[in-house]
Short mmCIF file of all heavy atoms in Angstrom, two decimals:
data_model
loop_
_atom_site.label_atom_id
_atom_site.label_comp_id
_atom_site.label_asym_id
_atom_site.label_seq_id
_atom_site.Cartn_x
_atom_site.Cartn_y
_atom_site.Cartn_z
N THR C 61 4.75 -7.73 7.02
CA THR C 61 3.89 -8.86 6.73
C THR C 61 3.72 -9.01 5.23
O THR C 61 3.33 -8.06 4.54
CB THR C 61 2.50 -8.67 7.39
OG1 THR C 61 2.68 -8.42 8.78
CG2 THR C 61 1.63 -9.89 7.18
N LEU C 62 4.01 -10.19 4.74
CA LEU C 62 3.86 -10.52 3.33
C LEU C 62 2.58 -11.31 3.13
O LEU C 62 2.38 -12.35 3.75
CB LEU C 62 5.06 -11.35 2.86
CG LEU C 62 5.00 -11.95 1.46
CD1 LEU C 62 4.93 -10.85 0.40
CD2 LEU C 62 6.20 -12.86 1.23
N GLY C 63 1.72 -10.80 2.27
CA GLY C 63 0.53 -11.53 1.85
C GLY C 63 0.71 -11.98 0.42
O GLY C 63 1.80 -11.81 -0.16
N TYR C 64 -0.32 -12.51 -0.19
CA TYR C 64 -0.19 -12.97 -1.57
C TYR C 64 0.28 -11.85 -2.49
O TYR C 64 1.26 -12.00 -3.22
CB TYR C 64 -1.52 -13.54 -2.09
CG TYR C 64 -1.46 -13.79 -3.58
CD1 TYR C 64 -0.68 -14.83 -4.08
CD2 TYR C 64 -2.10 -12.95 -4.47
CE1 TYR C 64 -0.56 -15.03 -5.45
CE2 TYR C 64 -1.99 -13.15 -5.83
CZ TYR C 64 -1.22 -14.18 -6.31
OH TYR C 64 -1.10 -14.37 -7.66
N ASP C 65 -0.40 -10.72 -2.46
CA ASP C 65 -0.01 -9.59 -3.29
C ASP C 65 0.00 -8.29 -2.48
O ASP C 65 -0.25 -7.21 -3.00
CB ASP C 65 -0.91 -9.46 -4.52
CG ASP C 65 -2.37 -9.21 -4.16
OD1 ASP C 65 -2.72 -9.25 -2.96
OD2 ASP C 65 -3.17 -8.98 -5.08
N THR C 66 0.27 -8.43 -1.19
CA THR C 66 0.33 -7.26 -0.31
C THR C 66 1.56 -7.32 0.58
O THR C 66 2.09 -8.39 0.87
CB THR C 66 -0.91 -7.18 0.61
OG1 THR C 66 -0.97 -8.36 1.41
CG2 THR C 66 -2.20 -7.00 -0.17
N VAL C 67 1.98 -6.14 0.98
CA VAL C 67 3.05 -5.99 1.97
C VAL C 67 2.55 -4.95 2.96
O VAL C 67 2.13 -3.87 2.58
CB VAL C 67 4.37 -5.52 1.32
CG1 VAL C 67 5.42 -5.22 2.38
CG2 VAL C 67 4.88 -6.55 0.33
N ARG C 68 2.62 -5.30 4.25
CA ARG C 68 2.19 -4.38 5.30
C ARG C 68 3.35 -4.12 6.24
O ARG C 68 4.02 -5.05 6.68
CB ARG C 68 1.03 -4.96 6.10
CG ARG C 68 0.52 -4.01 7.17
CD ARG C 68 -0.67 -4.61 7.92
NE ARG C 68 -1.23 -3.68 8.86
CZ ARG C 68 -0.81 -3.50 10.10
NH1 ARG C 68 0.21 -4.20 10.58
NH2 ARG C 68 -1.38 -2.63 10.88
N LEU C 69 3.57 -2.84 6.53
CA LEU C 69 4.57 -2.43 7.51
C LEU C 69 3.86 -1.75 8.65
O LEU C 69 2.94 -0.96 8.44
CB LEU C 69 5.53 -1.39 6.93
CG LEU C 69 6.58 -1.82 5.95
CD1 LEU C 69 6.01 -1.80 4.57
CD2 LEU C 69 7.74 -0.89 6.07
N ALA C 70 4.30 -2.01 9.86
CA ALA C 70 3.84 -1.29 11.05
C ALA C 70 5.08 -1.08 11.90
O ALA C 70 5.83 -2.03 12.16
CB ALA C 70 2.79 -2.10 11.80
N VAL C 71 5.32 0.16 12.32
CA VAL C 71 6.57 0.44 13.02
C VAL C 71 6.40 1.49 14.11
O VAL C 71 5.61 2.43 13.99
CB VAL C 71 7.66 0.88 12.00
CG1 VAL C 71 7.32 2.19 11.32
CG2 VAL C 71 9.04 0.92 12.63
N ASN C 72 7.12 1.27 15.18
CA ASN C 72 7.34 2.27 16.23
C ASN C 72 8.75 1.99 16.77
O ASN C 72 9.44 1.12 16.27
CB ASN C 72 6.26 2.25 17.31
CG ASN C 72 6.19 0.95 18.07
OD1 ASN C 72 7.08 0.11 18.03
ND2 ASN C 72 5.10 0.75 18.79
N THR C 73 9.14 2.76 17.76
CA THR C 73 10.51 2.62 18.28
C THR C 73 10.45 2.02 19.68
O THR C 73 10.00 2.67 20.62
CB THR C 73 11.22 3.99 18.29
OG1 THR C 73 11.21 4.50 16.94
CG2 THR C 73 12.65 3.87 18.78
N HIS C 74 10.92 0.78 19.80
CA HIS C 74 10.88 0.09 21.09
C HIS C 74 11.70 0.81 22.15
O HIS C 74 11.27 0.91 23.30
CB HIS C 74 11.37 -1.36 20.93
CG HIS C 74 10.57 -2.13 19.93
ND1 HIS C 74 9.22 -2.38 20.08
CD2 HIS C 74 10.93 -2.68 18.74
CE1 HIS C 74 8.78 -3.06 19.04
NE2 HIS C 74 9.80 -3.25 18.21
N SER C 75 12.86 1.33 21.76
CA SER C 75 13.75 1.99 22.75
C SER C 75 13.19 3.33 23.23
O SER C 75 13.71 3.91 24.17
CB SER C 75 15.15 2.20 22.16
OG SER C 75 15.08 3.05 21.03
N ALA C 76 12.11 3.80 22.60
CA ALA C 76 11.44 5.03 23.04
C ALA C 76 10.11 4.70 23.70
O ALA C 76 9.18 5.51 23.69
CB ALA C 76 11.23 5.98 21.85
N GLY C 77 10.02 3.51 24.25
CA GLY C 77 8.79 3.11 24.93
C GLY C 77 7.68 2.77 23.97
O GLY C 77 6.50 2.98 24.26
N ASP C 78 8.03 2.20 22.81
CA ASP C 78 7.06 1.84 21.78
C ASP C 78 6.28 3.05 21.28
O ASP C 78 5.10 2.95 20.95
CB ASP C 78 6.11 0.74 22.26
CG ASP C 78 6.83 -0.57 22.47
OD1 ASP C 78 7.81 -0.83 21.75
OD2 ASP C 78 6.43 -1.34 23.37
N ALA C 79 6.96 4.19 21.19
CA ALA C 79 6.36 5.41 20.67
C ALA C 79 6.82 5.62 19.23
O ALA C 79 7.79 5.02 18.77
CB ALA C 79 6.78 6.60 21.53
#
Side-chain angles (χ1 to χ4, degrees):
T61 306
L62 172 63
Y64 170 71
D65 62 353
T66 60
V67 173
R68 182 178 185 274
L69 286 87
V71 65
N72 63 14
T73 302
H74 302 297
S75 62
D78 293 329

